[in-house]
């Protein structure tokens, strides 16, 4: 009997160990535990490219590349700045928080890559094209109309279509040079994209159109009242209809996106999930075909693991450390960085002090969210931390500099110069009124700062720390209950380096490095 129990235990341990090994060698959902929403994807040969949304951040419309659908790296942006207007420049009290550029569409046709987006700030649609998506240059076409969540489609007969709208979906032919709609071609494609989900259903947007084996498939998202984000699929033999619709997928709110095939003829749906304050995170879900319909999921569910290579982590290709020490020929800022709104390039430098990022003040700002030149990277889950070493020797009276957990309800840890005295501070904007929770006199010019973010089980807590020697870390202020706000910012939390003036211009702060980690203190 004892021998039987031992054998049984060994078999159980062996099976458990085999499961752990299998999970470690396979991809896991989500494939990117960070804010990469509104994804659009193509495959060119054995290489996948994906575009996404970063709203009011610049450069904008990030382009990512992968060989396996799991491990992605930043390779380009469609634009450096979208528009030179007050909203984008944080001037005259205006901003484009929650707007900027929204859902993009990426396509490949006749050896040319196309990336398009639209803006709720400028109310225009932008189509960028290039023969080399990783190096450019980009050609820009601007259409003086806002085509919401559009999908551009190159059909086999040479016609080019654009589909857009919310609930009532519209279609039109584009001119051959994509410079606008052919007159008289715009019409209703589908009267109610939400109809397959019944009544009291919201949204009906996020259009992405595909053609597989001669049939057209249009993917959209809906949201039944009291339910979850849901995939709706319409199918037609002819792009002019008639269209037949059905619910395509409903599990964990994983929705909005499209489908992609692999070189070995497997299919996946690429979708995303609203995941609390970390943002909207991408998932891959297997697809099989039955009776001419894509059937998404494993028994209708999102699988935890996928028969794809395991992730190597988001560092260094999605987020990364930066020592701010550039070699000749290197980019001033790696692609992991984005500015909050349009930067003032005269007010930052990596050359004035070798090995440091210098952020200079050039105007007076009463509030952090109105200030220029906050430099950001994504946070990521399940946990992460960001840290820096700040030199405040050259700050001026009324200056604030440091590290932020950045969203509308932000938190900050940093140094302020008030009445000639340097003070460490922690501020919370949880109540939409920036509130200093603690300040401490600082008797030195160099201070280490750190923020830790915990997204496990959507706990969504950020903690703020400082150190005088880089070894002994002390928490300052209180915890920030991070909150994803929709129309106000519409982005997952980011780490940000900031320096702004409230009384005098001409001061500056030097950041020695930025380090990011997938570990936090327990």
């Amino acid at each position: 009997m004892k021998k039987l129990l031992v054998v049984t235990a060994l078999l159980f341990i062996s099976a458990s160990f085999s499961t752990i090994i299998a999970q470690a060698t396979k991809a896991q959902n989500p494939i990117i535990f960070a804010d990469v929403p509104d994804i659009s994807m193509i495959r060119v040969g054995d290489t996948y490219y994906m575009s996404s949304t970063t709203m009011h951040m610049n450069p904008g419309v990030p382009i990512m590349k992968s060989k396996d659908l799991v491990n992605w790296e930043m390779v380009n942006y469609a634009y450096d700045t979208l528009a030179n207007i007050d909203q984008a420049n944080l001037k005259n009290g205006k901003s484009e928080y929650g707007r900027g550029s929204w859902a993009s569409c990426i396509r490949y046709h006749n050896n040319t890559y196309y990336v398009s987006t639209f803006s709720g700030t400028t109310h225009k649609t932008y189509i960028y094209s290039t023969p080399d998506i990783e190096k450019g240059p980009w050609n820009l076409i601007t259409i003086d109309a806002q085509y919401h969540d559009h999908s551009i489609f190159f059909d086999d007969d040479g016609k080019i279509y654009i589909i857009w709208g919310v609930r009532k979906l519209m279609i039109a032919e584009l001119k051959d040079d994509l410079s606008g709609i052919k007159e008289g071609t715009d019409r209703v494609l589908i009267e109610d994209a939400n109809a397959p989900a019944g009544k009291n259903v919201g949204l009906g947007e996020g259009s992405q159109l595909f053609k597989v084996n001669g049939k057209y498939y249009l993917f959209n998202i809906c949201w039944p009242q009291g339910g979850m984000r849901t995939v709706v699929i319409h199918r037609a033999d002819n792009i002019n209809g008639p269209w037949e619709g059905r619910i395509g997928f409903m599990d964990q709110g994983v929705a909005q996106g499209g489908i992609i095939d692999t070189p070995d003829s497997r299919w996946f749906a690429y979708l995303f999930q609203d995941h609390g304050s970390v943002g909207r995170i991408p998932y891959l879900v297997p697809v099989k075909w039955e009776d001419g319909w894509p059937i998404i999921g494993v028994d209708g569910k999102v699988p935890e693991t996928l028969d794809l290579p395991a992730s190597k982590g988001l560092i260094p290709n999605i987020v990364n450390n930066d020592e701010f020490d550039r070699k000749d020929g290197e980019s001033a800022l790696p692609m992991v960085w984005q500015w909050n709104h349009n930067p003032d390039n005269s007010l930052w430098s990596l050359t004035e002090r070798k090995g440091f990022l210098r952020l200079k003040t050039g105007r007076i700002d009463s509030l952090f969210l109105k200030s220029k030149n906050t430099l950001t990277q994504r946070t990521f889950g399940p946990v992460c931390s960001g840290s820096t070493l700040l030199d405040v020797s050259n700050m001026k009276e009324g200056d604030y500099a440091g590290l932020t957990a950045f969203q509308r309800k932000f938190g900050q840890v940093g140094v302020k110069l008030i009445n000639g005295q340097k003070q460490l501070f922690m501020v919370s904007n949880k109540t939409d009124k920036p509130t200093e929770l603690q300040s401490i006199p600082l008797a030195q010019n160099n201070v280490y700062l750190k923020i830790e973010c915990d997204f496990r089980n959507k706990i969504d807590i950020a903690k703020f720390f400082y150190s005088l020697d880089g070894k002994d870390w002390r928490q300052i202020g209180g915890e920030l209950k991070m909150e994803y706000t929709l129309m106000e910012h519409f982005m997952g939390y980011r780490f940000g380096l900031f320096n702004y003036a409230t009384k005098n211009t001409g001061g500056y702060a030097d950041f020695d490095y930025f380090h990011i980690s997938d570990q936090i203190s327990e």
Side-chain angles (χ1 to χ4, degrees), residues 55-56 79 82 96-102 118-122:
M55 314 294 289
H56 45 275
Y79 62 81
L82 189 67
E96 55 178 0
Y97 288 120
R99 295 185 299 277
S101 61
W102 282 14
F118 72 102
S119 173
T121 309
T122 65

Side-chain angles (χ1 to χ4, degrees), residues 303-465:
E304 291 185 5
T305 60
L306 299 159
D307 189 19
L308 291 168
S311 172
K312 299 175 184 177
L314 303 189
I315 304 171
N317 293 320
I318 305 297
V319 297
N320 200 12
N321 302 318
D322 197 336
E323 305 300 326
F324 301 125
D325 187 8
R326 300 291 180 264
K327 297 177 181 178
D328 290 342
E330 288 185 330
S331 298
L333 289 173
M335 291 181 189
V336 295
W337 290 111
Q338 286 177 289
W339 296 101
N340 172 32
H341 288 67
N342 292 350
D344 184 336
N345 290 318
S346 69
L347 296 177
W348 67 275
S349 174
L350 289 166
T351 59
E352 291 182 13
R353 184 181 179 187
K354 294 289 187 180
F356 287 79
L357 168 69
R358 176 164 291 176
L359 296 181
K360 301 178 282 188
T361 63
R363 71 181 199 183
I364 304 299
D365 289 299
S366 59
L367 293 171
F368 167 57
L369 289 179
K370 295 181 178 181
S371 65
K372 296 276 286 185
N373 283 17
T374 297
L375 187 60
T376 77
Q377 284 198 41
R378 293 171 177 83
T379 61
F380 61 95
V383 298
C384 64
S385 68
S387 61
T388 189
L389 172 57
L390 173 63
D391 182 348
V392 300
S393 304
N394 295 284
M395 291 173 61
K396 287 193 172 183
E397 179 71 22
D399 286 1
Y400 289 73
L403 180 64
T404 179
F406 186 48
Q407 229 262 9
R408 173 182 169 182
K409 297 178 184 274
F410 60 83
Q412 295 169 292
V413 58
V415 175
K416 61 180 180 178
L417 187 59
I418 303 297
N419 296 324
Q421 300 296 316
K422 295 186 291 290
Q423 298 178 42
L424 279 160
F425 72 90
M426 185 269 167
V427 162
S428 168
N429 196 46
K430 175 61 180 174
T431 61
D432 278 330
K433 182 178 180 180
T435 303
E436 185 175 273
L437 301 186
Q438 188 177 2
S439 63
I440 302 169
L442 179 65
Q444 60 191 58
N445 286 325
N446 294 284
V447 63
Y448 299 82
L449 306 171
K450 180 171 65 174
I451 299 176
E452 296 184 344
C453 298
D454 190 345
F455 301 110
R456 291 173 294 188
N457 301 314
K458 296 185 182 178
I459 187 174
D460 292 353
I461 292 293
K463 298 179 181 179
F464 302 79
F465 302 84

